[in-house]
Amino acid sequence: MRPSPVARRIGRVTLAALTFWCLAAAVAPDRADARRIFVPRQHRRLQAAIDAAAPGDTVWVSAGTYRGPFVIKKRLVLFGDGGPAKTILDGRDSVRVLHVEGVTRAAIIGFRIQNGKAAGGSGIYCLRDTMLQIGSCDIRGNWEAGVAAWQCGPIQIVDSEISENHGSGVTASNSKLQLIHTTFRDNHAPSGGAVALTSTELTVARECIFQSNRADDGTGGGLFAESSPLHLLDCLFRENTAAAGGGAIGARDSSDLRIRSCFFARNRSSSGGAVLTDLSSLDLQLSIFTKNRATGAGSAVQILGRRTAGVNPFITSNTFYRNGVDAQAGASVFAEGASPEITRNIFVIDSTDRNKAVLEVRGASRYVCNLVYTMDGPGPEPSANIIVGNPLFCDAEKDDFHVHDLSPAILAPCGRIGPLGKGCSSFRILPSK
């Protein structure tokens, strides 16, 4: 069982109506006479209802399939009464499904948005919008991005699934973005299979799932960022791939990457099997990396240079379990031209033939209070800053990285090591007869 502090998806079915009331309150109209306009009861065509609505109205769409394109240029709530399983906006593989331009405090709730095809963004295209909320939507099978934003902010995507889109699930440029309880699955693009950001602030990605996305030619199978600040909390990255680095995340050109309590499993790339930073900053804490792979260099994390001279990456209180390289020599954490502060981490190395805990080129890490366990081959000698021993996970092969009560990760003289505390006992006391 995956531990609660790390990324997980809470098993639930989100009710579109509940999301409607929450989001509608946030975009509540200023007009006391705001109306509901019903489709198809009052207007048979959805675009006719949008055109007839006044700013602040709600367009209430009954279950059915509606053929795009659709354009919104006023403050509205667009609500799918049957939810995304039954209320479908379809681009027929020929047009953009929904174009939203120049609106403030609008919402799109409870739709499946599919089969869009248009340059620059074909599912939902957002242009110079502010406080736009996309909730309980299923955005799939679109070409040139499921959601695209340009000069927008903030846009919030919540309780949605974004899958099987070409040209990224979400792209954003010069914008602000929030992702909450959203799943990205089987999207692909040259870079940034699930999410691709340029000069965009991802203020938070919280409790999101990135599964089986891929960067076909470049970096960032799950998430790619260029000149962008990123804040990730309680997210899961599983089985994402990238051709040229960063199987889960690729951040470059002065990006600022901050990761808390995330879970990285079986991501793969040529280098930086899970995370790659290039001339960017990294603050990585309380996260777990298990069985990520790279051809060489960094099997879990690869750091190339720094964003700011003299300011080094932080890698604190994480677990690195059986990450490895396939061909060239490498390490769970590989750093070139930077000197990361690596403190209170657990490293489990399954073979020392090619793999180490940390490998540096042109750098000297501050390496303090780390626990290293080698499953096959000679390990490091214990020292003041290296504790050697089995961390005694409760069940690492089933993704439970809590430790036994007698684990050296708990009993170390320098304090607790790793992201998680005790989760199981070493002994079981049987009641006496």
Side-chain angles (χ1 to χ4, degrees), residues 30-366:
D30 299 327
R31 295 168 41 242
D33 60 343
R35 303 171 298 162
R36 288 187 194 176
I37 298 176
F38 293 92
V39 179
R41 192 173 75 197
Q42 291 174 293
H43 294 272
R44 194 164 66 88
R45 294 177 57 249
L46 175 54
Q47 188 62 53
I50 293 170
D51 294 341
D57 287 347
T58 295
V59 178
W60 194 286
V61 185
S62 295
T65 299
Y66 302 83
R67 312 296 184 186
F70 307 104
V71 178
I72 298 176
K73 294 188 177 182
K74 63 185 79 170
R75 178 164 55 92
L76 298 173
V77 174
L78 194 65
F79 179 69
D81 187 40
K86 297 182 179 179
T87 316
I88 300 167
L89 308 183
D90 195 317
R92 297 165 291 171
D93 289 322
S94 60
V95 297
R96 176 176 295 143
V97 180
L98 183 58
H99 179 108
V100 186
E101 180 176 349
V103 303
T104 299
R105 295 169 61 203
I108 301 162
I109 304 164
F111 291 92
R112 183 191 301 170
I113 296 167
Q114 66 181 25
N115 300 331
K117 190 172 185 179
S122 56
I124 303 175
Y125 181 74
C126 307
L127 175 62
R128 292 188 291 270
D129 301 313
T130 303
M131 294 181 66
L132 173 65
Q133 296 174 308
I134 300 169
S136 288
C137 285
D138 180 356
I139 301 169
R140 65 171 61 201
N142 300 284
W143 293 79
E144 296 293 330
V147 178
W150 189 66
Q151 292 188 348
C152 294
I155 290 180
Q156 184 183 80
I157 303 176
V158 59
D159 282 316
S160 294
E161 173 134 357
I162 300 176
S163 62
E164 300 176 9
N165 297 283
H166 308 266
S168 299
V170 171
T171 65
S173 180
N174 299 102
S175 298
K176 289 186 177 182
L177 184 65
Q178 295 181 348
L179 304 171
I180 300 171
H181 297 154
T182 293
T183 295
F184 296 86
R185 199 183 312 274
D186 296 320
N187 304 282
H188 71 97
S191 288
V195 177
L197 307 176
T198 302
S199 300
T200 290
E201 182 180 359
L202 181 58
T203 57
V204 66
R206 187 173 73 238
E207 294 186 13
C208 292
I209 294 174
F210 296 80
Q211 172 87 38
S212 302
N213 305 283
R214 69 182 191 270
D216 296 321
D217 303 312
T219 60
L223 194 158
F224 169 79
E226 185 174 9
S227 305
S228 300
L230 316 171
H231 296 245
L232 289 83
L233 175 65
D234 279 332
C235 291
L236 167 64
F237 292 83
R238 187 184 294 276
E239 296 175 353
N240 303 282
T241 59
I249 301 173
R252 55 175 293 183
D253 293 346
S254 297
S255 291
D256 179 10
L257 178 58
R258 302 184 185 186
I259 301 173
R260 296 288 187 278
S261 300
C262 290
F263 194 93
F264 297 83
R266 295 180 174 85
N267 302 283
R268 177 178 284 272
S269 186
S270 57
S271 60
V275 174
L276 170 69
T277 65
D278 186 355
L279 298 178
S280 297
S281 63
L282 174 65
D283 186 347
L284 171 61
Q285 299 186 36
L286 300 169
S287 296
I288 292 172
F289 294 77
T290 175
K291 298 182 180 179
N292 301 281
R293 306 293 297 184
T295 305
S299 57
V301 176
Q302 181 159 328
I303 301 165
L304 303 176
R306 298 175 290 195
R307 180 186 181 191
T308 305
V311 179
N312 285 301
F314 289 88
I315 301 175
T316 305
S317 299
N318 305 284
T319 285
F320 298 88
Y321 178 77
R322 300 186 66 184
N323 304 282
V325 296
D326 297 326
Q328 309 163 18
S332 296
V333 177
F334 176 91
E336 181 175 355
S339 301
E341 297 198 16
I342 302 174
T343 60
R344 300 182 184 276
N345 301 281
I346 298 173
F347 294 92
V348 175
I349 310 300
D350 58 4
S351 172
T352 58
D353 286 344
R354 300 188 184 98
N355 300 300
K356 296 183 178 181
V358 178
L359 184 61
E360 299 168 87
V361 177
R362 294 187 293 111
S365 296
R366 181 174 178 266

